[in-house]
Amino acid sequence: MEEIGIGEFARRSRLSLKALRLYDKRGVLVPSRVDRASGYRYYDTAQLDQARLVVMMRELQLPLKAVKQLLACDPADAAKRIAEHWRDAEAAHDARRELADYLVSRLSGMLSLIHI
């Protein structure tokens, strides 16, 4: 086990100090040790893989509660849940795209009526 401080862990994981503190508070990514006197957080380098998973899941806009659940479950189940999340996200995006296209068409039509 190799421990590193929160600053080095943040740099290696590409998570901000603020995010790491929040993830600790929410139980998503808890440090391996917290110094009682200073409150300084230390992480095991083995936690870097989990931290990188958190980064990628957040890129998919998964809420912290979902990230915490995914980290705790079987990898096959987590993969299935992420695939479901992505299908839902794509469906929502498609619906917003259709709405945007409709609005552009409608407003463009109104613009041409104004200029007649």
Side-chain angles (χ1 to χ4, degrees), residues 4 14 26 29 31 34-35 43 45-47 54 58 60-61 63 66 69 71 74 77-79 98 102 105 113:
I4 55 177
R14 298 188 177 152
R26 301 273 176 93
L29 188 59
V34 178
D35 183 274
Y43 293 84
T45 54
Q47 291 178 280
V54 170
R58 295 295 286 154
L60 292 178
Q61 299 182 347
Q69 291 170 350
L71 291 173
D74 173 71
D77 188 39
E98 287 178 20
Y102 169 77
S105 293
L113 289 175

Side-chain angles (χ1 to χ4, degrees), residues 11 19 40 80 101:
R11 187 184 67 73
Y40 198 76
K80 179 182 166 194
D101 289 345

Side-chain angles (χ1 to χ4, degrees), residues 8-81:
E8 179 65 15
F9 191 81
R11 187 184 67 73
R12 289 192 194 180
S13 66
R14 298 188 177 152
L15 287 166
S16 69
L17 295 173
K18 183 179 177 180
L20 286 170
R21 289 183 187 109
L22 174 65
Y23 296 167
D24 177 18
K25 182 179 178 180
R26 301 273 176 93
V28 174
L29 188 59
V30 178
S32 60
R33 179 174 66 89
V34 178
D35 183 274
R36 290 183 183 172
S38 67
Y40 198 76
R41 295 165 172 86
Y42 293 91
Y43 293 84
D44 188 318
T45 54
Q47 291 178 280
L48 284 168
D49 285 338
Q50 189 176 36
R52 290 178 184 130
L53 285 173
V54 170
V55 169
M56 289 183 277
M57 288 182 204
R58 295 295 286 154
E59 283 290 318
L60 292 178
Q61 299 182 347
L62 284 159
L64 281 181
K65 183 178 178 178
V67 170
K68 182 178 177 179
Q69 291 170 350
L70 289 168
L71 291 173
C73 71
D74 173 71
D77 188 39
K80 179 182 166 194
R81 291 182 187 191

